[in-house]
Amino acid sequence: METATGGYKSLPFFKQSEIIYDFTVEFVKRYIDYKSRTKDQMEQAARSGKQNIPEGYLQKSLEGRIKLVGVARGSLEELLNDFLDFLRQRGLQLWEKDSPKAQAVRRLVYNRYNSYNNYKIYMDNPEDAANAAICLINQTNALLDQKLRWMEERFINEGGFRENLFRKRMERKKIG
C-alpha cells in the first residue's frame, strides 16, 4: 500500500497525469489562442487531474481519498473532451484505437523512464499532438477507474475513517 506522504509519486496514474499536464501546457501554447477561455480551461483541467491525486493521497480518510481521486478522474475526462473537440472542430482525424500510431503512443507508457520527453515527438503536428494526448488520457483514466473501484470495494469492506474511529471508541468503552 502507498504511504500517505508521497507514495503517490510512484503511482503510474500520477506519473502519467504529470506527463498529461506538461503535454497540455505545451499543446495550448502552440495550438490554442492565448486569449481563449479554452486555453485556461484545458490547463486547469490538466492541472486538476494531476494535483488532486497527491491531495487525495494525503487524506487520512479513504472517503476523502476516493473523492479527490474521483475529482482528478473527472478533470481528465473534461480534458479528454477538449482534445476530442479540438480534432472535431478543425476537421482533423481521430486515430482508431488500434491504429499503428495509437499503439505506438500507448507503448510509451512502458518505458522505464517515461516522461513528457517521450511524447514531444508528437507535438509538431496538431492532429498527432491531440491524438497522443487522447491516448495518454484514456490510459490514465483506465488506471484511475481501476484504482477507484479498488478503493470503493475497500471502503465497503472496511468502512471509513470516522466509522472505524467510532468502532474503536465503542470497543474501548466496553473494555473500560
Side-chain angles (χ1 to χ4, degrees):
M1 179 165 172
E2 306 86 24
T3 63
T5 56
Y8 64 84
K9 289 179 182 177
S10 65
L11 297 168
F13 54 80
F14 176 76
K15 290 177 182 179
Q16 288 175 224
S17 71
E18 192 169 60
I19 294 167
I20 291 167
Y21 179 58
D22 294 344
F23 193 93
T24 301
V25 167
E26 182 62 27
F27 180 90
V28 299
K29 217 181 279 184
R30 289 186 186 210
Y31 300 115
I32 305 292
D33 184 335
Y34 75 96
K35 294 179 187 174
S36 166
R37 176 110 170 93
T38 301
K39 174 193 176 296
D40 295 336
Q41 290 289 94
M42 289 179 76
E43 287 175 340
Q44 287 306 310
R47 183 182 183 282
S48 176
K50 175 186 172 284
Q51 296 300 94
N52 278 289
I53 294 167
E55 189 174 349
Y57 271 80
L58 293 173
Q59 297 289 307
K60 283 190 177 193
S61 78
L62 185 56
E63 185 179 2
R65 186 178 289 189
I66 291 168
K67 178 183 176 193
L68 288 164
V69 172
V71 170
R73 172 62 174 86
S75 294
L76 292 177
E77 188 69 22
E78 177 185 343
L79 183 61
L80 174 66
N81 279 286
D82 284 332
F83 280 110
L84 290 167
D85 289 345
F86 178 87
L87 292 174
R88 181 179 46 77
Q89 291 170 348
R90 287 160 182 78
L92 301 173
Q93 179 96 26
L94 173 63
W95 296 343
E96 294 292 324
K97 182 181 179 182
D98 293 321
S99 72
K101 284 183 174 183
Q103 288 178 356
V105 171
R106 287 201 315 271
R107 278 192 302 272
L108 289 174
V109 79
Y110 299 110
N111 287 348
R112 186 170 176 191
Y113 300 104
N114 197 23
S115 73
Y116 167 65
N117 289 333
N118 297 334
Y119 297 84
K120 279 183 175 180
I121 60 170
Y122 294 97
M123 197 55 79
D124 291 335
N125 173 308
E127 182 175 285
D128 288 349
N131 274 290
I134 289 166
C135 290
L136 185 56
I137 294 167
N138 279 328
Q139 283 180 309
T140 306
N141 282 348
L143 289 173
L144 285 168
D145 288 343
Q146 183 179 33
K147 185 63 170 186
L148 284 165
R149 282 191 301 275
W150 178 85
M151 287 191 297
E152 289 164 0
E153 186 65 31
R154 183 172 160 218
F155 184 79
I156 290 166
N157 292 332
E158 298 174 17
F161 182 71
R162 284 183 298 246
E163 192 177 352
N164 287 322
L165 282 178
F166 179 75
R167 190 177 305 126
K168 287 176 184 175
R169 192 172 79 210
M170 295 309 289
E171 287 170 7
R172 185 172 285 168
K173 280 185 176 184
K174 287 179 189 176
I175 294 170

